[in-house]
Amino acid sequence: MAPRDQSCGDGGEVDPEGGIEAPLLSSGSSFFQDPAHEDGDGDEEARRRRRRFLLAGRSQSNTTSQVALVGVGVCPIESLDYELIENEVFKQDWRARGRGHILRYVALKWALCFLVGVLSAAAGFVANLGVENVAGAKFVVTSNLMLAGRYGTAFAVFLVSNFALTMLATVLTVYVAPAAAGSGIPEVKAYLNGVDAPDIFSLKTLVVKIVGCIAAVSSSLHVGKAGPLVHTGACIASILGQGGSSKYHLTFKWLRYFKNDRDRRDLVTCGAGAGIAAAFRAPVGGVLFALEAVSSWWRSALLWRAFFTTAMVAVVLRALIDFCKSDKCGLFGKGGLIMFDVTSDYITYHLVDLPPVITLGVLGGVLGSLHNFFLDKVLRLYNFINKKGQKYKLLLAAVVTICTSCCLFGLPWIASCKPCPSDTEEACPSIGRSGNFKKYQCAMNEYNDLASLFFNTNDDTIRNLYSAGTDDEFHISSILVFFFTSYFLGIFSYGLALPSGLFVPVILTGATYGRLVGMLIGSQSTLDHGLFAVLGSAALLGGSMRMTVSVCVVILELTNNLLMLPLVMLVLLISKTVADAFNANIYDLLVKLKGFPYLEGHVEPYMRQLSVSDVVTGPLQAFNGIEKVGHIVHVLRTTGHNGFPVVDEPPFSDSPVLFGLVLRAHLLVLLRKKDFIPNCSASALDASKQFLPHDFAKPGSGKHDRIEEIEFSAEELEMFVDLHPFTNTSPYTVVETMSLAKAHVLFREVGLRHLLVLPKSSKRAPVVGILTRHDFMPEHILGLHPFLFKTRWKKVRFGKSAFTNLVF
């Protein structure tokens, strides 16, 4: 398994003989050494006798899961290091930097944002171009067969093409890049919260995400491109931030400035916003989405860079769209990049329109919460099936795509034909590239309205629902059938082992629901039915995803109509408030379902009843300032901890004192370099000359060195290494009596990986334990203190009520 965070013990029980509380110290500490060996002469036998674990105190370890579901594969996870490691090597490098280094660093930040915007726009363009041409070709062939009356052959072509495209996406995902499955937004959200996993942003994940997204969306599954494009933008940002891909020999030394998690976090945030901008041509909405939906830390400087990134996306997309207007992109045209125009030239609304809009918001909140509930149950079922093996993942995708194709092709046959409107320029209203082939068995002057909804791409169907302003084109029964079908097809299509998004299916279902409400109660309102469809999309998005500001701006940028702003705001506020009373937003549910140890922005009420000493567990491993190589190797091989306290003891200090914290990754660099000293004495070598800052640079996402890869001779294991120059001398610390709620706020707001717990009494060891994000997880806290289940806060917090969010 990958290295995991250290979760350590508290002060333990009172020593009945000495009256001193015995902490859990490592075998390298001499705080409770035998009095016969207190002369500090470095006697090795004395050091061996001091290397033991004290048995007193809490010895149970943190049992929270160290793995999570990334895509459709279970992977080990670990936390990110957002804290600056202020050791001697870092300080020397910082002092050596001049104005030129700083200017180069700032310029490189903006250059990378530019590249992320350009490449994200290109990825979005390629995805849309692929979907338009692949799906368009499929519909053209099928429509020609329908016009020729060869309905059986048309169905066979439709079914086989959808099956082949779905299997292509599934096979690539299952056997090449399992992390590419799903939308990727939960993974991006967890990463920006401080959780890393292997291959989450790798080059193969990026390629499979784009190709699989094209195949999945073209297969007529009710999935969208928005989520995969968010993950795609994050992958591009992460690859650029880590200097390329060393696995495929695509590395760039000039990107070494960003070999740390803090800068990569900011760049991935910009990439996520660029993904939404590329999906909807909504640059401002992309920035707000990154702020509201996925990021855990935000500041004004990041806002400016994210806005610059999404602006580059908008510029590049505009240029590519103009290029395609010259018919050089195949079937790619107006529908290639989503832009929905509402037909009304001037939108007016009055007080009488508020009751229908409020009704729309309330029903949207209920339907959104039900959507999340059903999706959670379906995903749990899918996870149970996927655990059986890769073949079951393929089988599940095959069953869903066959059922979807049968519904899309078969349900229009139950609809009756309608006469073509006399006030239209075309012979019959149609959506798509292939004319009025959607008549099925209708006469030349008739059409099938249900076929025009089912037998089309999601983008074109949404555009039709938004732009049609009368009831002449759709019958209420057709809208009702399409609503329930799209509602549940969207739920069953998400969670398959292929790239898929939720945004567009929810928008489509919401547009159908809004138009249905407009047709039912439209006589009591002056609003256009196309506008009801737009408001329905906003209502269902607010009820499912619980985003307000970003969804509002995305909807406005989608429809290119600012006059709808008050109504969209009202619908979003109502739908979110109603849905919050039932369950959490869809992305929080997915993060929890996947098992990511996500730190919420609010403090759980029961945390105020506990101190940090109530949750730290053991045993604690610590090192001396000058430590034996053999002992370091033994600890690294037998534990998965990522941080170790460094304690100075006599003769290097008057009494045991905490010197700082050293990371596993830095220890591996020291061991690999093998710059050892023969005896237990301070090294006279200058660490800044022996090591470069680049030696301690963070590798790519999910990558790390392993102690098993380093070989040692018997002589080397008996030597020593001076840890002082490589130890972070200013780690964040809290006293053991601090409330767990305050420690949670500090841990999350600063973005820590380790939080050292110090004793209240000076008679005890210099460090009591280490808090990691796993120590703040509800399952760990409530496992240690089950009485909290009986408190009055249990129903409030665990019932997913909005009351806690509002009050705390």
PDB file of all heavy atoms in Angstrom, residues 759-770:
ATOM      1  N   PRO A 759       2.094  18.209  25.009  1.00  0.00           N
ATOM      2  CA  PRO A 759       1.510  17.955  26.329  1.00  0.00           C
ATOM      3  C   PRO A 759       1.254  19.254  27.082  1.00  0.00           C
ATOM      4  O   PRO A 759       1.892  20.282  26.846  1.00  0.00           O
ATOM      5  CB  PRO A 759       2.578  17.099  27.015  1.00  0.00           C
ATOM      6  CG  PRO A 759       3.853  17.539  26.380  1.00  0.00           C
ATOM      7  CD  PRO A 759       3.519  17.854  24.955  1.00  0.00           C
ATOM      8  N   LYS A 760       0.321  19.179  28.014  1.00  0.00           N
ATOM      9  CA  LYS A 760       0.031  20.321  28.877  1.00  0.00           C
ATOM     10  C   LYS A 760       1.083  20.448  29.968  1.00  0.00           C
ATOM     11  O   LYS A 760       1.440  21.561  30.382  1.00  0.00           O
ATOM     12  CB  LYS A 760      -1.350  20.133  29.508  1.00  0.00           C
ATOM     13  CG  LYS A 760      -1.847  21.312  30.315  1.00  0.00           C
ATOM     14  CD  LYS A 760      -2.247  22.465  29.407  1.00  0.00           C
ATOM     15  CE  LYS A 760      -2.924  23.572  30.212  1.00  0.00           C
ATOM     16  NZ  LYS A 760      -3.296  24.723  29.347  1.00  0.00           N
ATOM     17  N   SER A 761       1.604  19.316  30.404  1.00  0.00           N
ATOM     18  CA  SER A 761       2.577  19.297  31.497  1.00  0.00           C
ATOM     19  C   SER A 761       3.993  19.195  30.949  1.00  0.00           C
ATOM     20  O   SER A 761       4.261  18.471  29.987  1.00  0.00           O
ATOM     21  CB  SER A 761       2.304  18.121  32.438  1.00  0.00           C
ATOM     22  OG  SER A 761       3.323  17.990  33.391  1.00  0.00           O
ATOM     23  N   SER A 762       4.922  19.920  31.564  1.00  0.00           N
ATOM     24  CA  SER A 762       6.327  19.877  31.156  1.00  0.00           C
ATOM     25  C   SER A 762       7.024  18.617  31.626  1.00  0.00           C
ATOM     26  O   SER A 762       8.150  18.337  31.215  1.00  0.00           O
ATOM     27  CB  SER A 762       7.074  21.100  31.707  1.00  0.00           C
ATOM     28  OG  SER A 762       7.005  21.119  33.129  1.00  0.00           O
ATOM     29  N   LYS A 763       6.387  17.841  32.511  1.00  0.00           N
ATOM     30  CA  LYS A 763       6.985  16.613  32.998  1.00  0.00           C
ATOM     31  C   LYS A 763       6.881  15.463  32.009  1.00  0.00           C
ATOM     32  O   LYS A 763       7.460  14.402  32.220  1.00  0.00           O
ATOM     33  CB  LYS A 763       6.332  16.187  34.320  1.00  0.00           C
ATOM     34  CG  LYS A 763       6.536  17.172  35.449  1.00  0.00           C
ATOM     35  CD  LYS A 763       5.885  16.664  36.717  1.00  0.00           C
ATOM     36  CE  LYS A 763       6.096  17.627  37.877  1.00  0.00           C
ATOM     37  NZ  LYS A 763       5.467  17.132  39.121  1.00  0.00           N
ATOM     38  N   ARG A 764       6.130  15.677  30.979  1.00  0.00           N
ATOM     39  CA  ARG A 764       5.908  14.603  30.021  1.00  0.00           C
ATOM     40  C   ARG A 764       6.813  14.748  28.808  1.00  0.00           C
ATOM     41  O   ARG A 764       7.578  15.704  28.692  1.00  0.00           O
ATOM     42  CB  ARG A 764       4.436  14.598  29.599  1.00  0.00           C
ATOM     43  CG  ARG A 764       3.486  14.416  30.770  1.00  0.00           C
ATOM     44  CD  ARG A 764       2.053  14.565  30.333  1.00  0.00           C
ATOM     45  NE  ARG A 764       1.714  13.639  29.254  1.00  0.00           N
ATOM     46  CZ  ARG A 764       0.587  13.705  28.564  1.00  0.00           C
ATOM     47  NH1 ARG A 764      -0.281  14.660  28.834  1.00  0.00           N
ATOM     48  NH2 ARG A 764       0.339  12.836  27.613  1.00  0.00           N
ATOM     49  N   ALA A 765       6.721  13.789  27.929  1.00  0.00           N
ATOM     50  CA  ALA A 765       7.519  13.812  26.703  1.00  0.00           C
ATOM     51  C   ALA A 765       7.150  15.038  25.883  1.00  0.00           C
ATOM     52  O   ALA A 765       6.047  15.577  25.998  1.00  0.00           O
ATOM     53  CB  ALA A 765       7.269  12.541  25.898  1.00  0.00           C
ATOM     54  N   PRO A 766       8.050  15.510  25.026  1.00  0.00           N
ATOM     55  CA  PRO A 766       7.810  16.769  24.304  1.00  0.00           C
ATOM     56  C   PRO A 766       6.691  16.709  23.276  1.00  0.00           C
ATOM     57  O   PRO A 766       6.228  17.751  22.821  1.00  0.00           O
ATOM     58  CB  PRO A 766       9.155  17.046  23.649  1.00  0.00           C
ATOM     59  CG  PRO A 766       9.836  15.732  23.568  1.00  0.00           C
ATOM     60  CD  PRO A 766       9.395  14.966  24.766  1.00  0.00           C
ATOM     61  N   VAL A 767       6.271  15.533  22.865  1.00  0.00           N
ATOM     62  CA  VAL A 767       5.175  15.424  21.900  1.00  0.00           C
ATOM     63  C   VAL A 767       4.284  14.263  22.313  1.00  0.00           C
ATOM     64  O   VAL A 767       4.752  13.209  22.736  1.00  0.00           O
ATOM     65  CB  VAL A 767       5.717  15.226  20.465  1.00  0.00           C
ATOM     66  CG1 VAL A 767       6.567  13.984  20.360  1.00  0.00           C
ATOM     67  CG2 VAL A 767       4.584  15.184  19.459  1.00  0.00           C
ATOM     68  N   VAL A 768       2.977  14.476  22.237  1.00  0.00           N
ATOM     69  CA  VAL A 768       2.003  13.472  22.666  1.00  0.00           C
ATOM     70  C   VAL A 768       1.536  12.627  21.491  1.00  0.00           C
ATOM     71  O   VAL A 768       1.366  11.424  21.604  1.00  0.00           O
ATOM     72  CB  VAL A 768       0.797  14.153  23.345  1.00  0.00           C
ATOM     73  CG1 VAL A 768      -0.327  13.164  23.580  1.00  0.00           C
ATOM     74  CG2 VAL A 768       1.233  14.798  24.649  1.00  0.00           C
ATOM     75  N   GLY A 769       1.299  13.244  20.355  1.00  0.00           N
ATOM     76  CA  GLY A 769       0.788  12.508  19.204  1.00  0.00           C
ATOM     77  C   GLY A 769       0.712  13.405  17.983  1.00  0.00           C
ATOM     78  O   GLY A 769       1.155  14.560  17.996  1.00  0.00           O
ATOM     79  N   ILE A 770       0.161  12.874  16.918  1.00  0.00           N
ATOM     80  CA  ILE A 770      -0.008  13.604  15.660  1.00  0.00           C
ATOM     81  C   ILE A 770      -1.446  13.444  15.194  1.00  0.00           C
ATOM     82  O   ILE A 770      -1.967  12.325  15.150  1.00  0.00           O
ATOM     83  CB  ILE A 770       0.950  13.094  14.571  1.00  0.00           C
ATOM     84  CG1 ILE A 770       2.408  13.253  15.013  1.00  0.00           C
ATOM     85  CG2 ILE A 770       0.724  13.821  13.256  1.00  0.00           C
ATOM     86  CD1 ILE A 770       3.405  12.772  13.994  1.00  0.00           C
TER      87      ILE A 770
END
